[in-house]
Amino acid sequence: MEKSAAPERGSEGGPERGLAPEADVRVSDADRDRVADILREALAAGRLDADEHSERIDAAYAAKTRGELEPLVRDLPEARGESKPSANQRPVGAPAGAGDSGETDNVVAIFSGATRKGRWLVGGRVNAFALFGGVEIDLTEAVFERREVVINVTALFGGVDVRVPENVTLTGSGTGVFGAFEVRPNQADDADAPVVRLRGAAVFGGVDAKPKRGKRLRNLLGG
């Protein structure tokens, strides 16, 4: 009596499922930041104009899978291999040779206040949370570790104020529910200037982000 054929591995109805295609793999924040770095370099080199850069950056941070990220850099040479470090990749306002850790800074105010200002090291991501309290984030004297800084903001019955130098690009959007989420966009003249992006929500609270007039980063290249 012939034995029946065993079901193929990974076939439909089989005992094991195949791995998801590469394009369907979910992306991490690090994946999005890597694409943002490539897009920034392309803007600085003149391969993308400001509108193209803005459109692709928005798509990068909204991407959920690798298949959504890949087309954003497919036509850029930096995406085809590791690019060599350059002076533009050093921390802004920091000595040459400084590292780029891209660490996350959490600023939390619950029935209280929290402030980040003065000479402080800002990484690639800042999380601001205000609950019946207030958060102030002042980047006018900060040392930037990355060219792209994402600030995630949540204001619940509280407020978050963000101030950036006037020669830094500021962009972003959020949701106000019985509150206000206001970002005053600012486009830096220098293509190498840092980009600060806000996103989040204000529920029965307020978020206000804008440039601080008269405050400028003295050395955008960090030399």
Side-chain angles (χ1 to χ4, degrees), residues 50-74:
D51 289 338
E52 290 172 320
H53 176 263
S54 178
E55 181 180 349
R56 294 194 190 196
I57 280 287
D58 288 339
Y61 282 105
K64 301 297 184 185
T65 66
R66 291 180 181 176
E68 294 175 88
L69 278 182
E70 195 275 336
L72 302 177
V73 295
R74 181 184 296 156

Side-chain angles (χ1 to χ4, degrees), residues 24-75:
D24 294 336
V25 174
R26 304 280 289 193
V27 296
S28 65
D29 287 336
D31 293 328
R32 297 185 184 94
D33 288 340
R34 178 185 60 81
V35 169
D37 286 341
I38 294 173
L39 295 175
R40 174 186 59 77
E41 292 296 332
L43 175 65
R47 294 189 175 95
L48 296 176
D49 61 30
D51 289 338
E52 290 172 320
H53 176 263
S54 178
E55 181 180 349
R56 294 194 190 196
I57 280 287
D58 288 339
Y61 282 105
K64 301 297 184 185
T65 66
R66 291 180 181 176
E68 294 175 88
L69 278 182
E70 195 275 336
L72 302 177
V73 295
R74 181 184 296 156
D75 56 349

Side-chain angles (χ1 to χ4, degrees), residues 194-218:
V195 177
V196 178
R197 297 173 49 81
L198 254 74
R199 58 190 185 191
V203 182
F204 289 100
V207 173
D208 181 54
K210 62 185 179 182
K212 194 170 185 177
R213 298 305 174 192
K215 290 290 187 177
R216 300 175 63 85
L217 289 183
R218 296 178 182 176

